[in-house]
Amino acid sequence: MIEITSKLPHVGTTIFTTINQLARAHNAINLSQGFPNFDPDPELLELVSEAFKKGHNQYAPMQGALSLREAISEKIERLYGNYYHPESEITVTAGATQAIFTTIATFIRPKDEVIVIEPAFDCYYPAISLFGGKSIPLPLEGNDFKMNWSAFKSALSPKTKMVIFNTPHNPTGTIWSENDMLQLQDILRGTNIILLSDEVYEHIVFDGEPHESAAKYPDLVARSVICSSFGKTFHATGWKVGYCVGPKYLMEEFQKVHQFNVFSVNHAMQIALAEYLKDPQHYVNLGGFYQEKRDVFLNAIRSSRFKMIPSEGTYFQLLDYSDITDEKDTVFAERLIKEHKLASIPVSVFCKGDYDKKFLRFCFAKTDDVLEKASEILNSI
Ligand SMILES: Cc1ncc(COP(=O)(O)O)c(C=O)c1O
């Protein structure tokens, strides 16, 4: 072996892999990782198959198929009122993960500070450290995970280069309100801080609440790269197709890195997605679809010993187990798999900073039979 120095010495196998292995070994019902156990719409699968047959089998344009960029531009303008130019302000990426990684690679230099709102999706921190940035974890507060805006203000420094935030929020299932967005906009006004807005669950919001995209707020638009994921929207996480949008001056820099990072993304999928996006019914009803699943799950465990605040968005539900045990969440999650055959994700793995709450995250993007079996187990604890 030659001598190497790991660039990510503290990163091991992700918790998702570990939990999945444990779930398999114990034949557990798996509500841990965030993906549906059902297929995309057959109409979309048919469009993909047609796109392959029509010969979209060579490199797509670096920025993404133009028809898809046009469809994305129309969707955002219709939903959030801001026009992104398909030629210069939109890039199709290999999932939101690549959009996030490339945004960080493009803008973060050694010693730049990045505010990461916690609990935080797992791909943010390693990317920041790979490019020499310094993460500043900022916890959401209370059992309802709200932003403390004066703590946010205090976390900013002259070295702050970026803020990463995520609404609807994985893992807590909370969404940011208009007031939150206005606060964010006000605090960032006049700074040189880029906002990396992770909006992969933009179409999964419940109870009639709107999704507050950064694209609705002009001062945020001017400083934001906004990411989304067709994997989440169309039950196709395995395709790894997503996109990001931003003003031209940010997108130009992003694409300089993107072209040497992946160059371009799966062409046939893009052609199919462009066609499928023409009908807004394919995504505007997604919130209702997942709200039903949330309600099936929550109604079934209403008399259990777990406490819950209904998820406001995403396909995740946190359950508070503090009436059952004092165990740390990682310990309880492991015991739940081994003794009760049910897999979830402990929320502490989304945190670098201090965290000692008693929540597990359950993914309800599952068919009703699976949700029922999981509920029976939760009711028996
Ligand atoms: C908050 C958040 N951001 C980004 C991603 C990554 O999305 P993709 O699968 O499109 O790479 C996920 C996936 O779970 C997520 O939950």
Side-chain angles (χ1 to χ4, degrees):
M1 284 218 291
I2 58 156
E3 222 176 90
I4 55 153
T5 307
S6 173
K7 292 186 84 175
L8 294 172
H10 306 298
V11 173
T13 313
T14 73
I15 183 73
F16 302 104
T17 311
T18 311
I19 294 267
N20 274 326
Q21 280 167 353
L22 207 57
R24 258 196 307 278
H26 290 270
N27 206 12
I29 293 178
N30 196 345
L31 301 195
S32 64
Q33 213 173 347
F35 57 82
N37 73 335
F38 40 86
D39 275 332
D41 183 354
E43 188 185 332
L44 177 57
L45 298 180
E46 194 49 46
L47 288 169
V48 169
S49 151
E50 265 173 41
F52 281 125
K53 285 183 203 145
K54 282 185 181 157
H56 297 286
N57 296 304
Q58 311 307 329
Y59 293 125
M62 181 273 282
Q63 309 91 324
L66 183 59
S67 57
L68 181 54
R69 282 179 283 141
E70 285 169 348
I72 293 167
S73 172
E74 267 171 42
K75 173 172 84 89
I76 297 176
E77 191 176 15
R78 185 161 7 88
L79 293 179
Y80 312 127
N82 190 65
Y83 176 71
Y84 287 94
H85 202 298
E87 296 282 358
S88 54
E89 298 186 311
I90 298 176
T91 312
V92 179
T93 57
T97 309
Q98 186 239 316
I100 292 163
F101 186 89
T102 303
T103 303
I104 291 168
T106 304
F107 298 109
I108 295 305
R109 296 167 191 271
K111 299 199 172 56
D112 283 344
E113 291 184 358
V114 183
I115 308 280
V116 181
I117 294 163
E118 281 200 338
F121 184 59
D122 66 345
C123 76
Y124 308 153
Y125 285 127
I128 296 165
S129 59
L130 269 178
F131 296 97
K134 183 174 175 208
S135 302
I136 310 288
L138 183 66
L140 293 168
E141 295 186 355
N143 279 353
D144 53 355
F145 295 95
K146 290 283 183 243
M147 172 53 76
N148 172 341
W149 287 106
S150 62
F152 180 87
K153 246 191 224 168
S154 315
L156 302 183
S157 86
K159 291 190 189 148
T160 310
K161 184 77 213 165
M162 184 179 282
V163 171
I164 305 182
F165 98 116
N166 166 222
T167 187
H169 186 247
N170 175 13
T172 65
T174 54
I175 57 173
W176 280 28
S177 65
E178 181 183 3
N179 184 47
D180 286 318
M181 300 304 285
L182 291 172
Q183 297 258 20
L184 181 65
Q185 179 169 252
D186 275 358
I187 295 170
L188 295 184
R189 189 171 288 127
T191 68
N192 274 325
I193 298 171
I194 294 168
L195 181 67
L196 172 50
S197 184
D198 179 346
E199 301 184 16
V200 298
Y201 301 100
E202 63 177 318
H203 302 299
I204 313 181
V205 280
F206 308 138
D207 305 315
E209 292 300 322
H211 165 58
E212 292 298 339
S213 174
K216 283 185 178 177
Y217 298 85
D219 281 12
L220 291 180
V221 166
R223 64 173 74 249
S224 296
V225 175
I226 302 175
C227 308
S228 191
S229 167
F230 292 119
K232 304 293 181 186
T233 302
F234 296 134
H235 319 310
T237 57
W239 295 2
K240 294 301 291 187
V241 186
Y243 63 87
C244 62
V245 300
K248 183 166 183 244
Y249 77 103
L250 293 179
M251 239 340 90
E252 243 169 37
E253 290 304 312
F254 178 97
Q255 289 177 354
K256 286 182 191 172
V257 179
H258 173 81
Q259 65 186 331
F260 298 117
N261 186 191
V262 292
F263 183 70
S264 69
V265 175
N266 195 324
H267 201 172
M269 275 16 187
Q270 293 191 54
I271 300 296
L273 286 164
E275 195 55 36
Y276 194 66
L277 276 172
K278 284 184 182 160
D279 182 357
Q281 295 308 314
H282 288 145
Y283 51 85
V284 292
N285 296 326
L286 194 64
F289 172 79
Y290 276 119
Q291 185 174 321
E292 261 179 46
K293 292 203 172 291
R294 178 200 68 176
D295 293 345
V296 164
F297 184 49
L298 289 188
N299 285 332
I301 58 170
R302 205 153 289 282
S303 51
S304 76
R305 293 164 71 203
F306 291 87
K307 289 182 287 193
M308 74 284 286
I309 299 174
S311 170
E312 297 171 326
T314 74
Y315 43 51
F316 301 113
Q317 176 66 49
L318 291 192
L319 296 183
D320 174 343
Y321 63 86
S322 57
D323 285 352
I324 298 170
T325 170
D326 279 345
E327 282 163 298
K328 191 173 160 35
D329 62 356
T330 44
V331 176
F332 186 50
E334 192 173 327
R335 197 158 69 75
L336 211 54
I337 298 176
K338 289 183 177 163
E339 291 178 14
H340 299 279
K341 314 263 176 263
L342 179 61
S344 60
I345 296 283
V347 173
S348 62
V349 304
F350 296 88
C351 300
K352 242 182 150 153
D354 285 346
Y355 175 92
D356 189 27
K357 295 181 188 169
K358 310 284 183 225
F359 289 101
L360 298 177
R361 188 199 77 175
F362 293 83
C363 172
F364 55 80
K366 309 291 170 191
T367 44
D368 288 359
D369 57 323
V370 174
L371 294 176
E372 272 162 32
K373 279 188 200 142
S375 311
E376 278 168 25
I377 296 173
L378 290 166
N379 288 332
S380 73
I381 294 169

